């Protein structure tokens, strides 16, 4: 449930509500809006719901107490109506601007990364990506350069001025990845690695949580809830395709997840057309579709010579294709910007609601 404090409520009244929640063995999380404080109460409430609601309603400074109907609480639009906007370095994610995360699947050498970094920066990418710890289906495939790759990535970020994002695969890696990266990425295979979610929930850098390839939207939001409830509110969701019966594409891009997520959650949404399709020539149309559907941006794999890539060459686009993609993306983004200005109001106006 969440407790809306009156605009005139004092700090002492807010603290008294939080103390009452803690005394029940539950967790208070406050959201300080421009006008008032809203406190979410999370934890197993069970049979206490009614008595607790009426007791909290009676405390000084409390305006209203409302149950949150969704299983995800802190990530829900019910708790926070305004979009979460994430600022990292010079990049802003979720404010209506177009975020473009671009770079190689794997960091293969300093020269390879620098070549891509310079090219994507010149084209207007806002965040540099590159994998150093690679989750590969086969143990015989290239596993990434590890910490050496992280160094190249951090250096390229400093040189180009772009914030950098890279994957962290296990809790024991969080410290070292946190030292080099500006945004930590949780890959599809780890979406429900709960100890990893809690570990990245304890750091103060943004986390991009990719959708598990077999996960429902609700399971995905519950995974995001692990990170936020552990103390880190800066979570970005990335739709990267799910596994279906279709075999022509590597995965099936769930474009409907984009407006659905904007309806259900205040967190920013990124579309990854590279892993979603597995095919270079499908990357552009799917990237454009993602932005047209209202995504806050895209993540795309770029390689100077995709045929020589040590991972995901088939879905990596060339530097020239990236330049072309950027200009088309800007055009689509400019066209749809107004349509997506207020997802809460627009989905309400369309009568979207019901169970989901
Ligand atoms: C990646 O971004 O390189 C990656 C491994 O993605 P995913 O976890 O979506 O497969
Ligand atoms: Mn990849």
């Amino acid at each position: 449930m969440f407790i809306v404090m009156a605009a005139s409520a004092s700090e002492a009244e807010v603290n008294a509500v939080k103390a009452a929640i803690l005394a029940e063995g539950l967790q208070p999380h406050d959201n300080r809006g421009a006008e008032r404080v809203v406190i979410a109460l999370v934890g197993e409430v069970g049979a206490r719901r009614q008595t607790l609601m009426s007791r909290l309603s009676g405390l000084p400074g409390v305006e209203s107490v409302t149950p949150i109907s969704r299983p995800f609480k802190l990530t829900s639009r019910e708790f926070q109506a305004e979009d979460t906007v994430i600022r990292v370095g010079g990049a802003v994610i979720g404010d209506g601007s177009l975020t473009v995360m671009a770079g190689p699947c794997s960091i293969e050498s300093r020269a390879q990364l620098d070549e891509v970094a310079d090219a994507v920066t010149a084209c207007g990418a806002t965040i540099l990506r590159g994998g150093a710890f690679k989750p590969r289906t086969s143990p015989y495939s290239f596993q990434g350069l590890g910490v050496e790759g992280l160094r190249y990535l951090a250096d390229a970020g400093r040189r180009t001025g772009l914030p950098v994002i890279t994957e962290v695969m296990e809790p024991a890696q969080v410290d070292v990845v946190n030292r080099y990266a500006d945004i930590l990425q949780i890959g599809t295979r780890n979406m429900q690695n709960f100890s990893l979610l809690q570990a990245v929930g304890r750091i103060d850098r943004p986390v991009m949580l990719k959708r598990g390839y077999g996960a429902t939207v609700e399971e995905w939001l519950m995974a995001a809830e692990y990170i936020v409830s552990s103390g880190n509110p800066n979570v970005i969701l990335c739709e990267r395709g799910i596994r279906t019966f279709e075999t022509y594409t590597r995965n099936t891009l769930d474009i409907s997840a984009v407006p659905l997520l904007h309806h259900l959650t205040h967190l920013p949404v990124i579309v990854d057309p590279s892993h979603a399709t597995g095919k270079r020539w499908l990357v552009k149309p799917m990237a454009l579709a993602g932005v047209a559907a209202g995504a806050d941006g895209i993540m795309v794999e770029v390689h100077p010579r995709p045929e020589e890539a040590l991972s995901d060459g088939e879905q990596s686009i060339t530097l020239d294709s990236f330049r072309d993609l950027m200009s088309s993306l800007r055009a689509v983004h400019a066209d749809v910007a107004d349509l997506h200005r207020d997802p809460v109001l627009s989905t309400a106006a369309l009568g979207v609601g019901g169970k989901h």
Side-chain angles (χ1 to χ4, degrees):
M1 67 187 76
F2 60 94
I3 298 106
V4 179
M5 301 300 294
S8 59
S10 67
E11 201 55 34
E13 288 169 338
V14 171
N15 288 337
V17 171
K18 288 164 77 172
I21 294 169
L22 284 168
E24 291 286 333
L26 301 164
Q27 288 304 313
H29 288 262
D30 37 306
N31 183 336
R32 289 171 183 266
E35 279 185 15
R36 59 185 76 239
V37 178
V38 179
I39 303 168
L41 175 161
V42 295
E44 203 64 54
V45 176
R48 290 175 287 179
R49 181 170 305 277
Q50 278 315 321
T51 41
L52 201 54
M53 280 183 72
S54 51
R55 201 153 63 71
L56 292 171
S57 306
L59 292 179
V62 172
E63 190 170 283
S64 63
V65 179
T66 317
I68 303 180
S69 60
R70 315 265 186 212
F72 42 93
K73 310 290 180 193
L74 304 175
T75 55
S76 74
R77 277 266 184 222
E78 284 171 280
F79 174 52
Q80 183 185 312
E82 312 82 49
D83 290 335
T84 286
V85 175
I86 297 175
R87 287 165 210 283
V88 51
V92 188
I93 307 161
D95 66 338
S97 63
L98 176 64
T99 294
V100 178
M101 306 180 178
C105 175
S106 296
I107 299 161
E108 299 169 359
S109 66
R110 189 184 281 281
Q112 172 248 17
L113 180 68
D114 284 352
E115 188 176 354
V116 181
D118 289 345
V120 300
T121 307
C123 296
T126 56
I127 294 168
L128 178 64
R129 70 147 281 151
F133 293 106
K134 295 303 301 177
R136 304 306 302 280
T137 300
S138 164
Y140 308 121
S141 301
F142 177 59
Q143 303 284 310
L145 293 181
V147 178
E148 187 189 347
L150 293 179
R151 282 198 203 103
Y152 299 160
L153 184 64
D155 289 348
R158 255 191 306 275
R159 206 166 46 74
T160 56
L162 296 189
V164 298
I165 179 169
T166 196
E167 178 164 352
V168 56
M169 283 169 48
E170 49 181 279
Q173 285 170 354
V174 171
D175 271 353
V176 68
V177 176
N178 193 26
R179 227 173 294 145
Y180 291 98
D182 300 295
I183 307 174
L184 278 69
Q185 174 175 323
I186 306 281
T188 191
R189 297 160 180 85
N190 273 313
M191 190 205 82
Q192 283 189 321
N193 180 339
F194 299 117
S195 51
L196 180 59
L197 299 177
Q198 284 169 327
V200 296
R202 290 190 288 266
I203 62 170
D204 59 9
R205 289 194 194 281
V207 173
M208 186 165 87
L209 178 65
K210 291 191 134 192
R211 181 181 189 172
Y213 57 78
T216 63
V217 166
E218 192 159 291
E219 287 164 342
W220 187 12
L221 287 170
M222 294 308 286
E225 190 80 11
Y226 263 90
I227 303 173
V228 179
S229 65
S230 300
N232 189 345
N234 293 318
V235 176
I236 304 155
L237 300 167
C238 177
E239 164 60 43
R240 48 79 69 205
I242 48 177
R243 185 165 286 184
T244 67
F245 49 78
E246 182 51 67
T247 54
Y248 274 109
T249 47
R250 185 174 177 184
N251 292 284
T252 297
L253 181 60
D254 181 6
I255 289 283
S256 64
V258 175
L260 185 56
L261 287 168
H262 281 321
H263 178 71
L264 295 171
T265 180
H266 48 83
L267 298 175
V269 180
I270 296 291
V271 163
D272 169 354
S274 308
H275 294 89
T277 62
K279 288 185 162 64
R280 184 176 314 132
W281 59 277
L282 286 174
V283 166
K284 179 176 175 181
M286 292 299 95
L288 298 179
V291 171
D296 297 284
I298 62 151
M299 167 176 265
V300 64
E301 288 184 341
V302 183
H303 196 287
R305 288 162 295 280
E307 64 289 352
E308 292 173 16
L310 297 183
S311 61
D312 287 348
E314 278 185 45
Q315 68 195 35
S316 299
I317 61 171
T318 61
L319 308 183
D320 282 345
S321 305
F322 180 70
R323 185 174 315 109
D324 166 65
L325 173 63
M326 278 303 293
S327 72
S328 303
L329 274 176
R330 283 201 192 92
V332 170
H333 181 254
D335 271 358
V336 301
D338 279 351
L339 302 176
H340 295 298
R341 188 140 292 155
D342 193 335
V344 181
L345 292 183
S346 58
T347 50
L350 290 169
V352 183
K355 181 162 179 276
H356 289 289

